[in-house]
Each structure stands twice: as C-alpha cells, then as structure tokens.
Amino acid sequence: MMNLKSPREIAGMAKSGAILAGVHKMLRTTLHDGMDTMDIENIVDKFITDHGATASEKGVDGYLYATCISINDEVAHATPRQGLAIHNGDLVKVDMCVNWHGYQSDSAWSYVIGGESHSTPRIDKLMAVTKKAMYLGIDQAQAGNRTGDIGWAIQDYVENQNHFGVVRDLIGHGIGPSVHEDGPDIYHYGTPHKGPRLVPGMVITIEPMVNEGTWEIATKVVKKTGWEYYVSADGTLSAQYEHTLAITDHGPKILTSQDPEFDAKYLLTPEEMDFPDL
C-alpha cells in the first residue's frame, strides 16, 4: 500500500530534511585526512541529537549506527569501523536517515577527502555525473509520470552518455513514517513510460549509485559484526548522491536540500511550510 502524505506531513519531513542537510554541510568542513570512521559516526549522531532528532538508521534490520560510511570501491551499506581512517584522495560516501518528531528524511552525499587539491579528473567526473544523474531523475519525478521515466533518465545519462555503470541491485524507495515504505520502488535504470504512476503525496528517495566500471556489485562482510555491505564487482570507484523528495501538483519538491539557491525551483514555498504546530 502506498502511503500518501498530506501537505502538513510533507512540511514536517522537510524540517527533518533540514536537519539532515545540516549534517552534510557540517561534514564538508569536518572530514579530514586521518579521521577515524567511528569519529565521523559519533559527530553525526551528536549533531542529530543536538537538533532534537534521532538517527533512524539505528535498529533498521539490526543496524547499529547512525551512518553508513562507504569508501572508494565500497558502494553502499558499509559501516563505520573503529580503526578505519579516511585519507586525502579517498572518495567517501556518507548516508543517513533522520527522524524528527516522527518525520523521516534520508540523504547520501559523496566527498573527496582533502578537497579539490586531492581529487583527480576521474573522481571529479564520476561525482559530477552521479550528482547530475540524480537531478535528471528528480526532474522526471512529476505527477503523471512513471517510475521508468526516472530510471531511464538516470541510466541514459550515466551509461549511454558517460559510459559508467549504474547499480541495479540497490534502489530508491518510499519513505515515512518508517525509513522504508512499500512502493513505489525507484530503480535507477528502466524504460520510459513503464512502471507505477507517480501521484501527488508520494514521498520517495532518488539515490543513484554509479560505478566507474561495471554496474555489478559484490558482497563483503564486516568481520567483527557480520554485517554485509556492497562493493563494485570490479574494484572500481563508486559514487552516490541521494535526496528525499515529494511528488506534488507543482513538481518535485526536494526535502533534504543543502543549497537553497541551486535547488530554488524544487523547494517548498513559505506558504507550503506554514504549519504553526510543527
């Protein structure tokens, strides 16, 4: 059953998303060479708690942490690991969910440790293509379109135009009031005009994971905990970007925006956010 959200619920999820976006903005200036991934976990968890919310990744399918932290060829669902440090030039993906008074949000972002001076042209291209692919998918998240329109826009740009591989096995999803809601599943590949139709009130994530080489992934296990996570099957680098967004009569509305100027056309208006009890 698809759980359609009211305008008030969407506004509440945007408030949750603002906290999550604040975490990512904080990470831009916090991640540094030699930083332990468990320190990233602790800083993120504290930021979320200090803003009156909780890290809702904890407890999902037995997961123990506020963050998923995936490095270089790690695609998704990797955990913070005590003693595992990040270094200049690493491509690090941080994914998390926030629960603010029952309103959920979900967003992942990619970072090059050390910034531009420690990046490479290939990393820059992979990140740029992945981020643009997410926005091309968002542009297709219009009421009346189908999920295949989102998937095809992403796949065509990633694979046909840029010759990278878009991961098939991990997908976007409905969200709220729980982290993962039934329907519609959002595949990052597909056929135009196919799949479930998008209707106002749906809140979904679009979260392409793009590998520099093959789209295929392999499973690894964290020895200490037995937790399974995913890497690119050929060992190439992987990037990810993710936003939570609402389908509305006025187009897709990003609820986890980090950049109000860049995302201006996708944002809720002050009137759409005006619920005094939130």
Side-chain angles (χ1 to χ4, degrees):
M1 261 325 241
M2 295 182 187
N3 186 351
L4 300 182
K5 311 302 187 297
S6 68
R8 182 183 182 280
E9 289 173 311
I10 290 171
M13 295 177 79
K15 289 184 178 289
S16 172
I19 296 170
L20 200 164
V23 178
H24 282 301
K25 287 188 280 188
M26 176 268 293
L27 288 176
R28 292 179 200 167
T29 57
T30 302
L31 299 177
H32 63 267
D33 181 56
M35 190 175 191
D36 194 287
T37 53
M38 195 57 71
D39 290 337
I40 302 172
E41 162 71 14
N42 293 334
I43 289 168
V44 168
D45 199 17
K46 184 177 187 301
F47 185 103
I48 293 170
T49 301
D50 287 350
H51 286 78
T54 58
S56 45
E57 201 83 73
K58 291 183 180 181
V60 175
D61 297 327
Y63 196 68
L64 301 175
Y65 307 104
T67 59
C68 291
I69 301 174
S70 305
I71 304 171
N72 293 329
D73 68 326
E74 296 173 348
V75 174
H77 297 180
T79 73
R81 287 147 278 179
Q82 189 73 50
L84 176 63
I86 56 175
H87 297 289
N88 285 338
D90 281 341
L91 177 53
V92 177
K93 290 76 67 175
V94 183
D95 187 4
M96 73 198 81
C97 301
V98 165
N99 181 335
W100 179 77
H101 300 291
Y103 299 105
Q104 299 280 1
S105 57
D106 187 359
S107 179
W109 220 250
S110 295
Y111 303 90
V112 177
I113 305 309
E116 292 181 2
S117 63
H118 290 277
S119 189
T120 65
R122 57 187 280 225
I123 292 175
D124 290 343
K125 181 178 179 182
L126 180 62
M127 293 174 65
V129 167
T130 307
K131 187 175 181 182
K132 183 173 179 179
M134 175 185 66
Y135 276 97
L136 290 172
I138 290 171
D139 284 338
Q140 292 299 314
Q142 307 283 344
N145 278 1
R146 295 184 180 272
T147 55
D149 297 315
I150 296 173
W152 172 246
I154 292 170
Q155 182 183 15
D156 180 55
Y157 181 68
V158 170
E159 297 190 346
N160 297 333
Q161 299 180 45
N162 286 284
H163 312 295
F164 292 144
V166 64
V167 171
R168 310 285 202 269
D169 303 274
L170 304 171
I171 62 176
H173 51 85
I175 180 171
S178 60
V179 171
H180 295 112
E181 289 286 318
D182 289 337
D185 290 336
I186 305 299
Y187 294 88
H188 303 110
Y189 66 99
T191 304
H193 318 306
K194 299 293 184 181
R197 193 175 298 279
L198 303 172
V199 300
M202 288 179 175
V203 180
I204 60 174
T205 69
I206 294 179
E207 48 182 296
M209 287 143 274
V210 175
N211 297 340
E212 193 177 27
T214 179
W215 59 263
E216 296 177 295
I217 60 176
T219 302
K220 283 194 172 182
V221 176
V222 179
K223 292 181 180 178
K224 186 175 180 179
T225 63
W227 182 261
E228 292 186 349
Y229 64 100
Y230 304 100
V231 299
S232 62
D234 58 0
T236 55
L237 294 172
S238 185
Q240 182 188 16
Y241 290 90
E242 174 188 14
H243 272 314
T244 297
L245 60 138
I247 310 300
T248 79
D249 288 321
H250 307 291
K253 300 292 184 177
I254 295 174
L255 308 182
T256 48
S257 172
Q258 301 174 37
D259 188 340
E261 184 175 350
F262 185 82
D263 291 334
K265 71 176 183 177
Y266 303 108
L267 299 182
L268 295 172
T269 66
E271 292 75 22
E272 289 170 321
M273 290 293 296
D274 187 18
F275 291 89
D277 58 326
L278 286 177

